[in-house]
Amino acid sequence: MFCPFVHEMKNKSETTPALAIHGGAGTILRSELTQERAAYYEEALSIALKAGKRVLTNGGNALDAVVEAVRVLEDSPMFNAGRGAVLTHEGGHELDASLMDGAMGRAGAVAGVSRIANPVLLAKEVLEHSEHVLLCGSGAENFADQRGFTFVDRDYFFEPYRFRQWQEALVLDRVQLDHTSEKKFGTVGAVARDASGNLAAATSTGGMTNKRYGRVGDTPVVGAGTFADDWVAVSCTGHGEFFLRNVVAHEVAARVRLAGVDVETASHDVVMKVLKAQGGEGGLISIGKEGPPIMVFNTPGMYRGWWIEGELEQVAILGD
């Protein structure tokens, strides 16, 4: 499913700064999306979009823009990342995040952290101040401590509706993707192009409600949930196992770089053909070295927002 704005903006300058964000995709029920509820989500998306845009319009780089946008989304209890993270089987939280700087080919990621308010900031710290790419669990938190991060108490992540989701999942003895009445894949992310034409992507998640055994999805895995190079930046949201098996973010980039396919076609074909044929649900946002941001999803909706210099910011939830 394409956003119609993509086709309306083909004549925009190919080097203008641009930004797109997402707050998860899934079966977002129109019958339950009241005007008031939609307004809450739209406001949260708008705040994050403006935060990333502010970095770009002030001459900042793409990496800082995606980090700032995702940080704001992590601070919102509306999305399954950071403060709004879902609970594990044991009643705790295991948060994941990753980011990639396309200009330098650098990446940083963390998985299974439970005391970090903004995992995306720790992922950036890994990128900038370690020789590694992916740190997990207590090791990631030891690194955070050494780098001067402030830890939060478990109560920071407590949200009543997340608690109710967890209780229902325990009774039913099943892993749930996010909402109980809506099958929503809880992830947030951002992609950006700065004034120099550099690209970056970042993604963050709280995982699955009632998940066990230290399960890790695609979000912190560079190439699966997040990827950026000189050609395209991609951030994914969906059923993580399918995105891992198909290395979705890198698959989009490879089609652009190696096959000469445009970003829109590559994004569409991976989500609507490759994933859909396997029963994989979700979507992604992407941006190339030229043209507007792309948002494609094979679910009824995806929380999303986009901006390109010279245009107004826009946000949307449902497929139409």
Side-chain angles (χ1 to χ4, degrees), residues 51 57 66 70 100 116 149 154 214 219 229 289 298 307:
T57 55
V66 296
V70 169
M100 192 162 184
I116 304 297
F149 273 65
R154 176 179 171 180
T219 293
D229 58 16
K289 59 183 180 179
N298 61 26
W307 166 80

Side-chain angles (χ1 to χ4, degrees), residues 183-200:
K183 188 169 71 172
K184 175 178 168 289
F185 303 96
T187 311
V188 304
V191 295
R193 180 180 62 236
D194 61 33
S196 298
N198 299 320
L199 307 174

Side-chain angles (χ1 to χ4, degrees), residues 158-243:
F158 180 80
E159 291 293 333
Y161 71 100
R162 295 297 192 205
F163 185 74
R164 291 193 297 271
Q165 288 175 2
W166 174 61
Q167 288 183 310
E168 179 180 325
L170 286 175
V171 170
L172 298 174
D173 191 27
R174 70 184 184 192
V175 174
Q176 295 185 168
L177 296 167
D178 189 345
H179 297 344
T180 52
S181 59
E182 303 176 351
K183 188 169 71 172
K184 175 178 168 289
F185 303 96
T187 311
V188 304
V191 295
R193 180 180 62 236
D194 61 33
S196 298
N198 299 320
L199 307 174
T203 315
S204 181
T205 188
M208 291 181 169
T209 299
N210 198 34
K211 67 177 182 177
R212 308 173 84 169
Y213 317 119
R215 178 264 182 188
V216 176
D218 65 302
T219 293
V221 179
V222 173
T226 306
F227 190 78
D229 58 16
D230 281 335
W231 297 85
V232 63
V234 184
S235 174
C236 301
T237 174
H239 195 154
E241 278 63 22
F242 290 93
F243 284 73

Side-chain angles (χ1 to χ4, degrees), residues 118-135:
N118 295 109
V120 72
L121 296 183
L122 184 54
K124 188 182 182 193
E125 200 77 8
V126 172
L127 182 154
E128 295 181 335
H129 298 288
S130 84
E131 59 188 23
H132 307 298
V133 172
L134 172 60
L135 301 180

Side-chain angles (χ1 to χ4, degrees), residues 1 39 83 89 150 190 215 295 299 303:
M1 181 176 296
R83 187 179 177 188
H89 181 73
T150 300
R215 178 264 182 188
M295 280 157 280
T299 54
Y303 296 99

